């Protein structure tokens, strides 16, 4: 698809004149570009094509992001101890929060957060601790944003019951004739489905509280500065009511995996326990004041829960012929699912250790608070 980026950018209120752009290869859903302008000393902009197949209500989505970034900016302005940055929506020349072109494509522009970097694979425990703390602070800062200010940008996003139902429907429909290739993975899913449904049961019964959560806490959605302080949480498309388990679990799925999400050599997939421990300590330090016993008791398991739900989504997309996640080759989604399932197996072997680490971190914070 040929896109006239200069023309698209001309619909936004930017500083200076458009000078050029480059494609940024990040994420599986939206398309991203860095835009440079002539404004002296300006860091530039981050342009995104919003995937409307996935985000059906773009207006609701952008209103959410506006509510969340506005709330965060207010909180940060009121507390000099919180050194964080917030992404900022750059409005269109007509004042709207996004631009829709004549072909039905949706576009948005953010300020570019410069001099920052992220991690697909976490290099050391200091970075993991910082990341855990940052996602915990992010959630704490949003705790008093009224949930009715947010729409559900993707309904049933982490609803395991629905995800399983969809998967089994896809198996029956078999639109891409790929079911024959995944018998082992189907068995894997069936074997664990019952255990995975314990979390939605706790949510339904009200035993697990609903909070405003990020819902896409891939470790690379945390930006770090040159001294490796976590400075900014990005990708706010799925901020909506959810469980804290979703945010903890997804960060472990990505940050504590020793391999890439789509590694083809499964022997490289393992859980890095020191990284897991450091992330857990950082996260618990910044959320302990609000965590309930049911949340604490399920924190370690949430890593398996989130790895399962995302593995299941990759596998479903493979069966469906890849309509959802961007893929670079035909088995890409299957390879991603295989990595998730291998990660679950290694986490199952380490389940007691992972629980112990949570309890130790709770104990440590408890003591710190007393002294
Ligand atoms: C998608 O596009 P990206 O990488 O930010 C997906 C997440 C998955 C992730 C898997 C809206 O996020 O839920 O965990 O891929 N986002 C959406 O890597 O579906
Ligand atoms: Mg995302």
């Amino acid at each position: 698809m040929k896109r006239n980026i200069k023309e698209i950018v001309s619909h936004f209120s930017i500083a200076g004149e458009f000078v050029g752009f480059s494609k940024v290869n990040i994420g599986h859903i939206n398309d991203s570009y860095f835009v440079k302008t002539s404004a002296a000393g300006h860091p530039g902009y981050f342009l995104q094509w919003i995937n409307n197949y996935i985000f059906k209500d773009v207006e609701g989505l952008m209103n959410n992001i506006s509510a969340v970034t506005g709330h965060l900016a207010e909180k940060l302005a009121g507390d000099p101890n919180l050194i964080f940055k917030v992404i900022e929506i750059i409005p269109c020349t007509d004042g709207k929060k996004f631009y829709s072109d004549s072909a039905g494509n949706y576009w948005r522009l953010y300020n570019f957060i410069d001099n920052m970097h992220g991690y697909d694979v976490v290099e050391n425990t200091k970075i993991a601790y910082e990341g855990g703390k940052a996602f915990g602070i992010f959630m704490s800062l949003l705790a008093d944003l009224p949930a009715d200010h947010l729409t559900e940008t993707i309904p049933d996003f982490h609803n395991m019951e629905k995800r399983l139902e969809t998967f089994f429907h896809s198996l029956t429909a078999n639109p891409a004739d790929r079911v024959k290739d995944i018998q082992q993975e189907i068995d894997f899913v069936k074997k664990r489905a019952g255990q995975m449904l314990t979390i939605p049961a706790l949510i339904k019964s009200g035993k697990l509280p609903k909070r405003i959560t990020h819902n896409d806490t891939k470790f690379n959605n945390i930006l770090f500065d040159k001294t490796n302080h976590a400075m900014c949480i990005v990708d706010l498309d799925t901020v909506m009511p959810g469980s804290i388990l979703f945010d903890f679990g997804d960060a472990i799925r990505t940050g504590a995996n020793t391999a890439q999400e789509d590694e083809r050599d499964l022997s490289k997939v393992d859980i890095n326990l020191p990284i897991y421990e450091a992330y857990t300590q950082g996260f618990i330090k910044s959320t302990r004041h609000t965590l309930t016993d049911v949340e604490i008791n399920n924190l370690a398991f949430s890593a398996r829960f989130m790895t399962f739900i995302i593995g299941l989504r990759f596998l479903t997309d493979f069966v469906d012929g890849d309509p959802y996640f961007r893929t670079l080759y035909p088995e890409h989604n299957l390879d991603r699912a295989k990595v998730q399932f291998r990660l679950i197996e290694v986490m199952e072997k380490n389940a007691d250790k992972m629980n112990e680490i949570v309890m130790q971190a709770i104990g440590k914070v408890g003591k710190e608070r007393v002294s």
Side-chain angles (χ1 to χ4, degrees):
M1 183 186 343
K2 187 95 189 84
R3 289 164 170 169
N4 186 342
I5 300 295
K6 182 175 180 184
E7 199 279 330
I8 291 157
V9 172
S10 75
H11 295 276
F12 291 90
S13 300
I14 58 166
E17 298 294 319
F18 176 94
V19 169
F21 74 94
S22 54
K23 184 109 190 354
V24 181
N25 291 321
I26 190 163
H28 303 330
I29 309 284
N30 300 318
D31 292 343
S32 307
Y33 303 85
F34 170 69
V35 174
K36 192 172 160 42
T37 75
S38 60
H42 194 281
Y45 296 97
F46 190 68
L47 175 72
Q48 281 192 310
W49 169 81
I50 305 171
N51 188 326
N52 184 223
Y53 169 77
I54 287 166
F55 297 107
K56 309 276 187 220
D57 172 14
V58 173
E59 183 145 13
L61 168 76
M62 293 310 291
N63 285 338
N64 270 18
I65 296 179
S66 172
V68 169
T69 53
H71 187 84
L72 290 173
E74 222 172 86
K75 285 268 161 136
L76 295 179
D79 187 345
N81 293 322
L82 286 172
I83 319 285
F84 272 107
K85 287 182 185 259
V86 187
I87 56 171
E88 192 188 316
I89 300 171
I90 308 296
C92 292
T93 48
D94 63 5
K96 280 181 70 173
K97 298 183 185 89
F98 61 92
Y99 166 63
S100 49
D101 66 23
S102 53
N105 289 303
Y106 293 90
W107 298 88
R108 68 178 167 211
L109 195 69
Y110 291 125
N111 59 324
F112 184 75
I113 312 275
D114 61 344
N115 296 319
M116 299 278 164
H117 58 273
Y119 293 93
D120 285 331
V121 174
V122 181
E123 286 170 8
N124 61 54
T125 52
K126 178 185 176 291
I127 293 164
Y129 180 84
E130 270 288 307
K133 218 172 68 180
F135 267 132
I137 291 172
F138 179 87
M139 203 200 62
S140 303
L141 292 177
L142 291 179
D144 59 343
L145 174 66
D148 59 1
H149 288 201
L150 299 180
T151 54
E152 220 180 326
T153 54
I154 303 181
D156 295 315
F157 194 49
H158 292 317
N159 181 337
M160 187 67 88
E161 274 178 301
K162 283 270 161 53
R163 295 290 184 186
L164 282 164
E165 224 175 87
T166 307
F167 174 64
F168 289 116
H169 277 143
S170 290
L171 289 186
T172 308
N174 195 11
D177 193 26
R178 286 173 164 179
V179 172
K180 58 181 180 339
D181 306 328
I182 61 159
Q183 195 49 53
Q184 241 181 312
E185 287 72 28
I186 296 172
D187 294 344
F188 184 97
V189 168
K190 284 187 175 159
K191 198 170 159 203
R192 289 160 181 83
Q195 179 190 33
M196 294 298 159
L197 289 171
T198 55
I199 299 296
L202 288 171
I203 293 174
K204 261 196 206 160
S205 67
K207 287 185 185 142
L208 261 178
K210 279 259 175 141
R211 304 171 180 278
I212 292 178
T213 47
H214 183 284
N215 292 303
D216 190 5
T217 53
K218 264 177 154 168
F219 202 91
N220 65 9
N221 278 332
I222 312 165
L223 300 185
F224 290 81
D225 70 7
K226 287 193 183 113
T227 62
N228 270 333
H229 281 111
M231 286 298 293
C232 189
I233 301 292
V234 295
D235 192 356
L236 307 180
D237 289 336
T238 50
V239 177
M240 54 187 167
S243 163
I244 199 170
L245 300 182
F246 304 158
D247 281 6
F248 181 78
D250 199 13
I252 299 305
R253 173 186 81 84
T254 48
N257 182 356
T258 50
Q260 297 281 351
E261 188 178 61
D262 57 357
E263 174 60 57
R264 299 182 86 167
D265 177 357
L266 291 182
S267 70
K268 290 190 178 154
V269 178
D270 204 351
I271 175 90
N272 185 327
L273 285 177
I275 294 286
Y276 167 77
E277 179 168 22
Y279 187 92
T280 303
Q281 287 175 352
F283 188 78
I284 284 180
K285 187 169 173 72
S286 55
T287 55
R288 178 65 188 105
H289 57 284
T290 168
L291 289 177
T292 67
D293 285 351
V294 178
E295 287 174 326
I296 292 168
N297 292 336
N298 285 284
L299 218 47
F301 176 65
S302 77
R304 267 145 69 198
F305 177 86
M306 286 306 293
T307 308
F308 186 89
I309 206 165
I310 291 164
L312 185 64
R313 291 173 59 204
F314 287 143
L315 190 62
T316 307
D317 204 37
F318 175 74
V319 174
D320 290 346
D322 314 314
Y324 191 101
F325 294 106
R326 180 183 301 124
T327 50
L328 301 178
Y329 57 93
E331 302 81 31
H332 204 168
N333 271 319
L334 179 57
D335 285 344
R336 288 169 176 149
K338 284 182 177 169
V339 170
Q340 307 313 302
F341 291 173
R342 171 57 67 92
L343 185 61
I344 289 173
E345 283 170 350
V346 293
M347 289 194 286
E348 283 170 349
K349 291 202 181 91
N350 286 284
D352 289 346
K353 188 93 201 85
M354 289 174 76
N355 248 323
E356 233 170 75
I357 287 171
V358 168
M359 296 311 165
Q360 275 164 5
I362 293 283
K364 201 166 167 230
V365 172
K367 275 191 212 119
E368 275 172 23
R369 286 206 309 169
V370 175
S371 60

